[in-house]
Amino acid sequence: MFQVEVWGGAGEHGRSCYYVQFEQRAVLLDCGVKKGQEEMYPLLDAAKARELSCVFLSHAHEDHSMAIPLLYRDGYTGVVWTTRSTAQQLDNYFASWQRYVEDAGYELPYTKEHIEQVRYRFVEDMASPGQWFTIEPGLQACWGPSGHLAGSIWLLLKNDGKTLFYSGDYSPDSKLLISDLPSPEYVHDLPFAILDAAYADDETGQEQLLKEFVATCERVLKQGGHVWLPVPRFGRGHELIQIVAETFPDTQIVCDERLEQGFQTLFEEELWLKSESVVPYKEMWSSRVQVLSQEQIRQKSVGSDKTIFLTADPMLQSKDASNLLEAFQNKPENAIILTGHVYPGTCAARLLAEEEPGVQVIRHRYKIHQGLPEVTRMLDQLKPKTTLLVHSPKEKTDRLQAKLVAQGYKNIVSCTPGDRIVID
Ligand SMILES: [Zn+2]
Ligand SMILES: [Zn+2]
C-alpha cells in the first residue's frame, strides 16, 4: 500500500507537488509555484519534508521547481534528483521568480542561502533512459525524455515492488525534442500514474492548432502588420521560429538575445533533441534568424519591413516588453500572438482583457502538454489501475474524467490540493 498526497498541481495550473508515502519512506515529486495572487506555494508540511528520502524534479519550469528551497528552509537535507540540463536552467528561473514576487509586492519566503543549499544529483549519471537504477535499498527509479522542454523527464519509481509513474509535463508533439515511455515490462500491472492533463478534455491536435496559427500570421503580414510572439527563453519559441521560417520564407525573423542564449543552450547538449532535426535546425537558425538587442528590436518594430519578432518574456512583464508594446501599439495592424498559458495578474492577461488594447492580441495554443487524445494514448500504453489527472483546474479535469469514464477507463481521479489517494 502507498498514499499520494496532493500538495499542489492537481485541480489547478501551478505549484505541482506530490508527496508519496510508501510504508517505510516518503519521496516528493516536484515542488513548484503558482503565479497569481493567492496560493503561490504548495501545501508543504515541514515535519514530513524533513523526513523525505529524496525529491525528484521533472523539469525546470517554475510551476515544478521554484518552491524547492522551501524544503531546505524547513530542514530537508537530502538531494534533488533531476537532469543536468534542468539544473542549469534553474538560475534563470530563480532570478525571474524573485522579480515576479517582488513586483507583485510580496516577499520571497526563502533566501539565497536556501537556494545554494539545494543538492542536485543527475539521473543520467546513474542510468540511461529507460533503465532502472537504485536510489537507496528498496527504492528504484527509471527516467526518460518527456518532450516538453530540454531536460524534462518522466519518472517511474519502484518501492518494494510497488510502481508509480509520473509523466511530468509531457508532449509527444515536439518537432525538436524526443519523448518516449517506459518499456511495457516495466509497467506491467502498474498500480498508479500521475498524468499531465493540462489541456484537459480539449481534443484539438497540434496540426490543427498550427494551421490556425499560421493562418493568423499570414493575415497579419498581408495586412501590413508585424507579428510578435512573446515566448519563454526555453521551449516552444524555438519550435515556433522553425515553423514561421519555413512558412514565410520572405519575412524577416528577429529574436532577442535571451532567446538566442536559449538556442545555444538547447544545442549544447543534443541528448534531448531528435537527431534528424539538429542539422536542418542549425542551418535554419544561421540563415534566417536575426538576433537583435531590445533597443534594436524596438526601432525595427516602428519600421515598415514586415517582420516576425520573438522575445523571451511570455507574460510581457519586463521593461523591455513594455517599451516594445508602446511601439507596437502605434499600428493596429500589428498582432501579438500568445501561444502559452496566460497567468492572471500579468501584463499579457491585462492586454487580453482590454477592450481596445491598440494592437491585435490573439491566442493560439502551441501544445507542450497533454489533452484528451494524448492522455488516452498514455492510458492505453501504460494501463494504470488508478490514474490521477493533473495540471488543470478541477472543473476541467472533471470533464476529462467524465469523458474517459464514458470511454470505459476505470479509476480516473480528478481532485484538488489537500486530497489524498490511497493505493492498495
Ligand atoms: Zn512545464
Ligand atoms: Zn507545468
Side-chain angles (χ1 to χ4, degrees), residues 165 167 170 172-173 181 193-202 367 369-384 387-390 397 400-401 403-404 407 409 412:
F165 174 79
S167 69
Y170 195 98
D173 292 314
L181 282 174
I194 302 173
L195 301 191
D196 169 15
Y199 304 143
D201 61 330
D202 193 324
K367 286 181 93 162
H369 290 281
Q370 303 200 110
L372 177 68
E374 298 81 21
V375 169
T376 310
R377 213 178 310 160
M378 211 172 242
L379 288 173
D380 290 342
Q381 285 194 324
L382 303 175
K383 299 183 177 64
T387 302
L388 173 61
L389 305 171
V390 301
T397 47
L400 175 59
Q401 178 196 41
K403 287 192 183 176
L404 292 170
Q407 289 179 29
Y409 295 99
I412 306 292

Side-chain angles (χ1 to χ4, degrees), residues 66-78:
M66 284 296 108
I68 286 174
L70 287 176
L71 301 170
Y72 290 84
R73 181 202 66 181
D74 288 350
Y76 175 63
T77 55

Side-chain angles (χ1 to χ4, degrees), residues 196-257:
D196 169 15
Y199 304 143
D201 61 330
D202 193 324
E203 296 181 30
T204 324
Q206 187 82 299
E207 291 305 313
Q208 178 59 29
L209 292 167
L210 280 177
K211 254 189 221 159
E212 293 164 11
F213 164 77
V214 162
T216 297
C217 295
E218 200 166 358
R219 175 180 61 75
V220 172
L221 295 168
K222 249 191 202 145
Q223 289 168 351
H226 299 305
V227 172
W228 178 10
L229 304 170
V231 292
R233 183 193 300 245
F234 304 101
R236 63 180 183 272
H238 296 110
E239 308 214 2
L240 288 168
I241 284 188
Q242 189 178 31
I243 290 156
V244 293
E246 274 170 15
T247 319
F248 305 106
D250 303 324
T251 303
Q252 295 189 52
I253 296 166
V254 166
C255 85
D256 67 8
E257 286 152 341

Side-chain angles (χ1 to χ4, degrees), residues 59 61 63-64 148-149 169 368-369 391:
H59 65 294
H61 282 151
D63 57 319
H64 298 258
H148 171 77
L149 180 72
D169 284 0
I368 54 165
H369 290 281
H391 219 307

